[in-house]
Amino acid sequence: AGASRKPRVLILGTGWGGNKLARKLKGSIFDVRVVSPANHFLFTSFLPSTAVGTLEFRAIQEPIRTCPSLAEYYQAKARTLDPEK
């Protein structure tokens, strides 16, 4: 049974890199898991537009849980990493 398990990919954070990687990986091949205190990706370059009212705040954030390849999401901060587990 152990040989049929998908390789686990643990992504720390939902920033530009973490969000892009989570969306590019195929859930059929990898067991994708994300650990981040923020459950969304924020387009920070558009923040000034929300302050002046040209964009709604909800238009510049995207929930990480909508990622189709995501197996698990943990809303937490990673303090240590044990690569054996």
Side-chain angles (χ1 to χ4, degrees), residues 2-83:
S4 66
R5 289 180 35 189
K6 296 187 277 187
R8 179 173 293 165
V9 177
L10 179 64
I11 301 170
L12 302 178
T14 53
W16 289 98
N19 184 52
K20 183 75 165 182
L21 180 61
R23 294 187 184 285
K24 287 288 186 179
L25 290 173
K26 294 183 188 237
S28 60
I29 299 172
F30 298 103
D31 176 19
V32 181
R33 296 171 185 236
V34 174
V35 176
S36 178
N39 65 355
H40 60 277
F41 170 67
L42 185 64
F43 291 93
T44 52
S45 55
F46 293 132
L47 272 175
S49 297
T50 63
V52 296
T54 55
L55 278 175
E56 290 186 33
F57 187 73
R58 65 183 176 178
I60 68 164
Q61 62 181 349
E62 187 170 347
I64 193 66
R65 294 173 203 241
T66 62
C67 180
S69 64
L70 189 63
E72 291 285 335
Y73 166 73
Y74 304 99
Q75 189 165 6
K77 287 184 180 180
R79 300 200 187 270
T80 61
L81 183 64
D82 184 356

